[in-house]
Amino acid sequence: MRRPLLALLSAAALLATTAACGGSSSDSGKGGTDKVTAGVIPIVDVAPIYLGKQQGFFSERGIDLTLQTGSGGAASVPGVVSGQYQFAFGNVTSLLVARDKNLPLKILTNGVSSIGVAGKDFGAVVVKGNSPITSAEDLVGKKVSVNNLQNIGDTTVRASVRKAGGDPSKVGFVELPFPDMPAALQNNRVDAAWVVEPFLTQSISQGARPVAWNFVDAAPNLTVATYFTSERMLKEKPDLVKRFTEAMNESLAYADAHPDEVRKILGTYTKIPAEVIADMTLPKYPTEVNRASVQTLADLAQQDGLVKNKPDVGALLSELG
Amino acid sequence: MTLVTAPTPGRPATVPTVAGSAAGPAQPLSRRRRGLPNAVLGLLGIVTFLTGWEAVPRVGLVSTQFLPPASAVLRTLADEMGRPAFWTAVGDTVVAWALGLAIAFAAAVVLGFVVGAVPALRAFTASTAEFLRPIPSVALIPLAALMFATDIRSTLMLVVYAAFWQVYIQVLYGVADIDPVAEDTARSYGLSRWSRVRHVAWPSALPYVLTGLRLGAAVALILAVTAELIIGSPGLGQSIAVAQSSGATADVYALVIATGALGVIVNIVVRVVERRLLRWHSSVRGEVTV
């Protein structure tokens, strides 16, 4: 999940290449089907879009959807900005940071949300079974791994620490890919790790113990990630954007109502072992973006210095969301 | 190849001749005698390596969660090889590799010969080339991701950039190494400019060109897998990334082995090509007879 870093690196390059790769969006045809490419990450969070494609929610709206899985979402924000992707999936903090760098992105609809209940969420801060750490407050002065520094992981963990009465500025964060975290924890390279599924289930099965539910602590029913597009798409193809959003919402509602089918489709685009798929906690897929929680993430981003200016949440959310 | 007809003066003198003309017919025999134990030793080496790999997680030195035993990984690899998705990924990687290498090779050979033949042009471009050459191809990842997202063009951009310099520099050396006596001889025999390129410059530079191809082929594969792994363009690298983000450790190792095997195959193929094209050359003749 290197979106913010890439967005930053790309911003300068973008200025040079905007002219070159301007209207290279691949959709075509009037009245027929529109060819659409969406950038996703091969993780649990995007199961609804795979399910919706399989169920024909996109094709019945005249959208021929191709899903491109970028590793860790490296290509999501730049892909949408340059027009290689018409739509993509990205976490809210990444989009707030991208927007702060003046990248013209708009959130269309919800992507994935926290379950909102401590002890039942799909992401948590875990420690080794024999660790003296028992609460978020104990993380002060300790080394905590997150998948990306200056992103949704560390800001929400800081929110947990703050809520528990600790000084969040004294938590040491290190960057590690999620898949490496269970091993890092076992070998004492970090004191605690913020992990999401399937690594949460995997860590707990290896004896790790959750001590903080950062998404739950940050805001009630936090919207973690969303589907977004560019302002240019919104202006040039408002009808296509509307149809995509409707199809996406139908997919989200379908996924939320059919957890068994979510588990089944996970086997098609990920390699998560079958026994883990059966056990792991699925996130929530509401269709509504929780605006209050986006505002909270914006405030946290500003408080922690991820963004230079006060984020304009209204500008990031499209009227469709 | 009609290269055998190349005039003898065109034979590069400075390419190291491994074996002198002393290499007699007795040599191949001794090589064969040594060859057998070598093959057995090599096999033994692999078996020892696999046994060690099998043992380390089994005795609990490393958790099987992080390093599955060799048998489990090989079984996973066999499973993978039974899936069409695996072969699609292999195909994507091979296509990106071959296409990228071909583009880089063609561009480098043409540019190398043109720039190498004109001293002024060479001096004019030298500093720029020396500046661009050390830029690691991976530094272009943000640019590739921005311009082409997860399209195959992202992979090609990295592969072409990396492989180009490997070949280009070799071509420049090759062109610089043309024997002036051979060149003058060809001139005084009234060979046209094209004939001189064809019969003097090309065979002189060919060993260098093919060395560049061999280096470029290896680098191209590394960059193809890197681009797929980091950006997510289709291919084996992307499959590794998916397996990794799924916590499917055995799959990760199995796919890594597959990329290794691909590397071995690529190297063998390029070496065979090199030997065939250079079988007239003393370095290869020496290598064969030693």
Side-chain angles (χ1 to χ4, degrees):
Chain A
M1 292 201 177
R2 309 217 158 239
R3 266 162 269 127
L5 174 67
L6 259 132
L8 195 147
L9 288 171
S10 311
L14 167 75
L15 296 172
T17 52
T18 300
C21 51
S24 59
S25 70
S26 59
D27 45 319
S28 62
K30 262 187 183 172
T33 52
D34 289 288
K35 276 179 115 47
V36 161
T37 306
V40 293
I41 317 167
I43 55 172
V44 188
D45 305 23
V46 298
I49 198 168
Y50 279 92
L51 212 47
K53 187 185 169 179
Q54 189 194 52
Q55 293 292 319
F57 299 154
F58 291 92
S59 56
E60 70 194 28
R61 288 180 175 84
I63 296 172
D64 178 7
L65 179 66
T66 305
L67 294 172
Q68 295 258 21
T69 50
S71 305
S76 291
V77 166
V80 166
V81 168
S82 70
Q84 298 292 323
Y85 299 151
Q86 284 74 51
F87 307 99
F89 172 89
N91 87 54
V92 173
T93 303
S94 291
L95 298 177
L96 286 163
V97 171
R99 189 81 209 185
D100 190 56
K101 311 268 180 249
N102 288 322
L103 297 180
L105 303 174
K106 284 275 196 187
I107 289 175
L108 291 175
T109 182
N110 186 50
V112 68
S113 293
S114 157
I115 287 157
V117 183
K120 289 187 179 159
D121 208 7
F122 71 98
V125 179
V126 296
V127 296
K128 239 177 140 168
N130 57 6
S131 164
I133 301 170
T134 56
S135 71
E137 199 188 351
D138 295 342
L139 294 173
V140 173
K142 296 290 192 293
K143 200 153 83 172
V144 183
S145 67
V146 291
N147 69 325
N148 263 157
L149 292 174
Q150 303 284 76
N151 207 308
I152 196 161
D154 51 352
T155 50
T156 52
V157 172
R158 280 196 202 97
S160 276
V161 173
R162 205 174 282 128
K163 198 180 165 192
D167 179 357
S169 68
K170 296 208 165 65
V171 182
F173 288 100
V174 290
E175 196 169 286
L176 269 185
F178 283 129
D180 298 348
M181 290 187 193
L185 202 60
Q186 291 259 311
N187 302 330
N188 300 314
R189 278 190 285 137
V190 293
D191 301 308
W194 171 58
V195 287
V196 295
E197 291 290 17
F199 301 104
L200 180 55
T201 298
Q202 192 191 324
S203 318
I204 292 174
S205 77
Q206 286 165 17
R209 175 164 49 82
V211 292
W213 301 85
N214 47 320
F215 286 158
V216 180
D217 291 340
N221 302 317
L222 180 82
T223 291
V224 176
T226 60
Y227 293 88
F228 63 96
T229 190
S230 64
E231 284 182 352
R232 199 180 62 224
M233 265 298 286
L234 208 55
K235 203 163 71 194
E236 289 173 4
K237 303 204 185 281
D239 176 61
L240 174 59
V241 173
K242 190 163 163 276
R243 279 183 285 138
F244 177 85
T245 308
E246 283 169 9
M248 204 54 245
N249 284 340
E250 191 176 355
S251 308
L252 290 162
Y254 186 85
D256 226 19
H258 299 83
D260 289 344
E261 292 197 40
V262 169
R263 288 185 204 274
K264 215 190 290 168
I265 199 134
L266 278 175
T268 65
Y269 71 91
T270 75
K271 289 210 175 284
I272 304 174
E275 65 276 12
V276 178
I277 290 184
D279 279 353
M280 64 195 269
T281 307
L282 295 181
K284 279 221 173 295
Y285 302 115
T287 53
E288 293 281 308
V289 173
N290 179 347
R291 283 175 183 249
S293 75
V294 174
Q295 186 60 56
T296 305
L297 284 176
D299 296 342
L300 289 174
Q302 197 185 7
Q303 195 171 358
D304 289 344
L306 274 62
V307 292
K308 281 203 244 22
N309 315 302
K310 188 175 167 52
D312 182 355
V313 170
L316 180 61
L317 291 161
S318 79
E319 57 280 16
L320 290 160
Chain B
M1 300 285 106
T2 51
L3 287 169
V4 230
T5 63
T8 14
R11 213 162 84 187
T14 50
V15 172
T17 44
V18 177
S21 50
Q27 233 82 1
L29 266 175
S30 73
R31 185 171 186 263
R32 208 169 299 146
R33 262 208 305 279
R34 267 186 297 133
L36 195 68
N38 269 356
V40 173
L41 273 175
L43 199 68
L44 228 75
I46 292 178
V47 170
T48 312
F49 173 73
L50 288 178
T51 316
W53 179 3
E54 184 75 23
V56 166
R58 286 218 185 271
V59 300
L61 277 176
V62 181
S63 159
T64 52
Q65 196 90 45
F66 310 133
L67 179 70
S71 57
V73 170
L74 292 177
R75 219 177 308 125
T76 311
L77 181 62
D79 285 351
E80 279 290 336
M81 288 172 78
R83 290 193 197 116
F86 172 79
W87 295 106
T88 311
V90 171
D92 285 336
T93 300
V94 170
V95 165
W97 167 80
L99 205 57
L101 184 62
I103 295 169
F105 183 75
V109 167
V110 171
L111 269 174
F113 267 90
V114 171
V115 170
V118 186
L121 198 57
R122 186 170 182 172
F124 180 69
T125 55
S127 48
T128 312
E130 282 310 307
F131 169 72
L132 291 175
R133 192 163 64 100
I135 296 176
S137 217
V138 284
L140 302 177
I141 284 177
L143 189 60
L146 175 70
M147 287 172 68
F148 307 120
T150 48
D151 196 83
I152 187 182
R153 284 173 294 173
S154 280
T155 314
L156 286 179
M157 184 168 158
L158 266 57
V159 169
V160 170
Y161 190 87
F164 173 82
W165 297 111
Q166 300 287 343
V167 185
Y168 180 73
I169 298 299
Q170 291 296 325
V171 173
L172 282 190
Y173 281 131
V175 175
D177 196 43
I178 296 168
D179 185 354
V181 176
E183 178 74 12
D184 290 345
T185 311
R187 232 181 256 270
S188 58
Y189 272 94
L191 264 67
S192 68
R193 176 176 276 270
W194 170 245
S195 297
R196 272 182 279 130
V197 168
R198 172 73 189 76
H199 296 294
V200 181
W202 177 251
S204 300
L206 194 61
Y208 291 91
V209 172
L210 291 177
T211 302
L213 179 69
R214 181 153 46 79
L215 297 174
V219 167
L221 186 68
I222 293 171
L223 267 300
V225 174
T226 306
E228 293 159 6
L229 193 59
I230 312 256
I231 304 173
S233 39
L236 275 175
Q238 196 226 2
S239 304
I240 294 175
V242 170
Q244 191 199 16
S245 63
S246 298
T249 323
D251 270 286
V252 172
Y253 283 101
L255 291 164
V256 167
I257 290 178
T259 57
L262 198 58
V264 170
I265 294 169
V266 159
N267 199 29
I268 290 173
V269 168
V270 176
R271 274 186 184 277
V272 167
V273 168
E274 193 177 13
R275 277 194 190 193
R276 291 219 137 196
L277 291 182
L278 286 183
R279 59 170 181 258
W280 53 275
H281 192 270
S282 54
S283 66
V284 170
R285 290 214 309 263
E287 215 177 301
V288 171
T289 48
V290 160

